[in-house]
Amino acid sequence: MSRGKASSALDLPRPDSLDAGKQQGAYEALRAAILNRQLPAGSRLPSTRSLAERWSVSRGTLEAAFDRLHSEGYVQRVAGSGTRVCAVIPEQFIAAPVATVTARRAVEPDRSSAGVQSHVPFVARRPDASLFDLKAWARCISRGLLAVGPGVLEANHPAGLPDLREQIADYLRSYRGMRCEADEVIITTGIRHALNLIAHTLINPGDTACVEDPGYAPARRLFNLAGAHIHAISVTAEGLDTAQLPTTARLAYVTPAHQAPLGMTLSVSRRLALLDWAARAEAWVVEDDYDSEYNYNTAPLAALKSLDNADRVIYCGSFNKNLFPGLRVGFMVVPKVLRRSLLRTLQLTGHSVGVTDQLGLVEFLRNGAFVRHLRASRQAYQARRDALLACLPGCPVSGEQGGLHFVLWLPAGTDETGFCERAAAVGLTLQALGKFCHGVALPPAVIIGYTALTLAQIRFHGRALFKMWEGACPRLQCVSQ
């Protein structure tokens, strides 16, 4: 036998499934051998010639089966090196976890904090933790701990470590156009923590809190739990409709950089109108800047807070949205008049961030690792977005210019709930746009998260999503008939 043409040491028996259908049977037999590790990761498959002789099928049948395994990410075919099993078993890396229908239906943004999950198509509206440099993070934590004495570990820092607050203020001045100082920054565990502090500090029972409609459901619920009357404001192509803001409201919550969930950017004229309303009504504006770092077409607008001459905006940011979800470190930039009362609420709850993560972030920001990570992850997410859009030719989408998700609009008359249930049957977990609406009625659509998915997942499940959308389109159905 010639060098380089040796077949696999595994003697794969002829499968019974070949009798039912040779090409499908060969595919299923090889796929099963990979999944049960009879063909382990990195192992070489027999050549199609030798396997054709062993299984008594044509070589063309096996070539078709090998091509299908390659297209679905099970194997790699390299000229001169043969066909080898990929390092990661696709079902663990591509397919959504096998779960009951009840478990899939539980993935809803307004029912559970676990609604958004990594690696689950297409609710993966999270940063991809695999892009995060753990070794660099470990070095930052180590350097941070070694650089401080026991006094830092023993001291109480209710607003957060002074060095971290200074690094955050410097980043916001450089990259978000804000004029802020370290004493305006308060460290939190994330945006929900910030919203909870704001709700329990500023809202009295019966106060009016304005929210976007559709919008971020946890914000609405947190304000409601604090006793607020929720006033939903509809969203147009320019963002929040500021003409609907009542002068009696206590605060307004907005996501101006990439509206959650529709994805548009709040226009400059609307931003100025919102700030003018806040000054006239002596109300507060809560700016949730959850994914502004990810803009793929143009540079993002500066933060709303950068225009805040009257000091009426409470800015909320989070490292959980751009580093990794388990970090649990966020921050607020607060008006000076509110700092003492917000800190009092923070100390009362005792819900503060551990000093170790804060020290690590100080080093991560100081040495430029944070900006480098943003640059690399932005490129990766843009490639994933582009790959997914390529799987959806002709499908109407919006909000795709930035952020961690976009909206896929369904054919007119499509039942959102039924579409999501059919998607669950083929391994796709979708969130209906209607779940984000409070009172407004919008055309049918679903939210598509893609950042915590691999390119293999996106291509595999993107094709399935397109087939579903195509099947729901009456015009295309008539053409096919």
Side-chain angles (χ1 to χ4, degrees), residues 81-124:
S81 181
T83 303
R84 296 183 181 274
V85 178
C86 289
V88 178
I89 294 176
E91 262 60 19
Q92 296 180 353
F93 202 54
I94 293 178
V98 177
T100 63
V101 174
T102 301
R104 287 193 180 108
R105 288 178 178 170
V107 181
E108 297 178 358
D110 57 343
R111 293 184 184 179
S112 170
S113 60
V116 178
Q117 302 176 41
S118 301
H119 310 304
V120 178
F122 283 100
V123 293

Side-chain angles (χ1 to χ4, degrees), residues 195 198-199 203 207-225 228-236 239-242 244-246 249-255 259-261 274 277 284-288 436-440:
L195 295 179
I198 292 168
I203 293 177
D207 283 348
T208 297
C210 298
V211 298
E212 297 167 320
D213 191 11
Y216 184 50
R220 185 170 65 236
R221 297 184 66 186
L222 286 169
F223 296 148
N224 185 257
L225 286 172
H229 167 69
I230 303 301
H231 187 91
I233 306 291
S234 60
V235 175
T236 72
L240 183 81
D241 186 357
T242 52
Q244 298 182 28
L245 290 166
R250 178 65 168 162
L251 61 82
Y253 166 83
V254 292
T255 51
Q259 199 275 333
L274 178 60
W277 165 83
W284 304 105
V285 175
V286 180
E287 178 180 10
D288 183 343
F436 295 80
C437 297
H438 183 69
V440 68

Side-chain angles (χ1 to χ4, degrees), residues 153-443:
L153 303 180
E154 295 168 357
N156 181 29
H157 302 282
L161 292 180
D163 284 350
L164 178 56
R165 292 188 282 116
E166 181 56 55
Q167 288 296 322
I168 291 172
D170 183 64
Y171 170 78
L172 295 174
R173 287 191 295 266
S174 300
Y175 292 93
R176 298 300 290 131
M178 293 168 52
R179 303 179 299 276
C180 67
E181 302 300 330
D183 63 357
E184 299 174 70
V185 178
I186 296 176
I187 305 301
T188 67
T189 63
I191 288 176
R192 290 196 194 195
H193 181 206
L195 295 179
N196 191 47
L197 290 174
I198 292 168
H200 285 90
T201 302
L202 300 183
I203 293 177
N204 295 314
D207 283 348
T208 297
C210 298
V211 298
E212 297 167 320
D213 191 11
Y216 184 50
R220 185 170 65 236
R221 297 184 66 186
L222 286 169
F223 296 148
N224 185 257
L225 286 172
H229 167 69
I230 303 301
H231 187 91
I233 306 291
S234 60
V235 175
T236 72
E238 293 187 68
L240 183 81
D241 186 357
T242 52
Q244 298 182 28
L245 290 166
T247 57
T248 56
R250 178 65 168 162
L251 61 82
Y253 166 83
V254 292
T255 51
H258 188 244
Q259 199 275 333
L262 294 180
M264 74 280 291
T265 299
L266 187 66
S267 68
V268 174
S269 60
R270 292 277 176 92
R271 292 173 184 234
L272 295 175
L274 178 60
L275 294 174
D276 178 66
W277 165 83
R280 287 186 291 103
E282 296 185 347
W284 304 105
V285 175
V286 180
E287 178 180 10
D288 183 343
D289 204 37
Y290 69 103
D291 67 358
S292 64
E293 288 86 0
Y294 299 111
N295 195 288
Y296 309 123
N297 298 343
T298 61
L301 286 175
L304 175 67
K305 180 70 175 173
S306 68
L307 302 172
D308 182 27
N309 295 324
D311 208 18
R312 306 301 301 182
V313 176
I314 307 170
Y315 177 93
C316 302
S318 174
F319 294 105
N320 313 328
K321 290 292 186 181
N322 42 43
L323 295 182
F324 57 93
L327 181 58
R328 311 318 306 163
V329 182
F331 55 91
M332 296 189 292
V333 179
V334 302
K336 293 179 175 62
V337 69
L338 297 179
R339 185 176 188 275
R340 181 172 296 180
S341 56
L342 284 167
L343 281 178
R344 189 161 49 241
T345 303
L346 178 59
Q347 289 179 292
L348 181 63
T349 60
H351 197 189
S352 57
V353 178
V355 68
T356 302
D357 284 339
Q358 292 190 61
L359 288 170
L361 273 172
V362 170
E363 292 296 320
F364 204 72
L365 288 160
R366 180 180 290 155
N367 67 22
F370 179 65
V371 173
R372 290 193 296 273
H373 172 79
L374 288 181
R375 186 179 300 115
S377 58
R378 186 184 298 116
Q379 292 174 350
Y381 298 158
Q382 182 171 356
R384 296 172 191 186
R385 179 205 66 169
D386 293 345
L388 183 52
L389 291 176
C391 293
L392 304 171
C395 297
V397 300
S398 61
E400 76 281 7
Q401 78 282 352
L404 308 178
H405 73 276
F406 60 75
V407 177
L408 172 63
W409 297 94
L410 303 179
T414 303
D415 175 57
E416 286 182 345
T417 301
F419 189 87
C420 292
E421 289 174 350
R422 292 192 298 275
V426 296
L428 306 180
T429 305
L430 303 178
Q431 292 174 308
L433 177 61
K435 297 292 185 180
F436 295 80
C437 297
H438 183 69
V440 68
L442 295 176

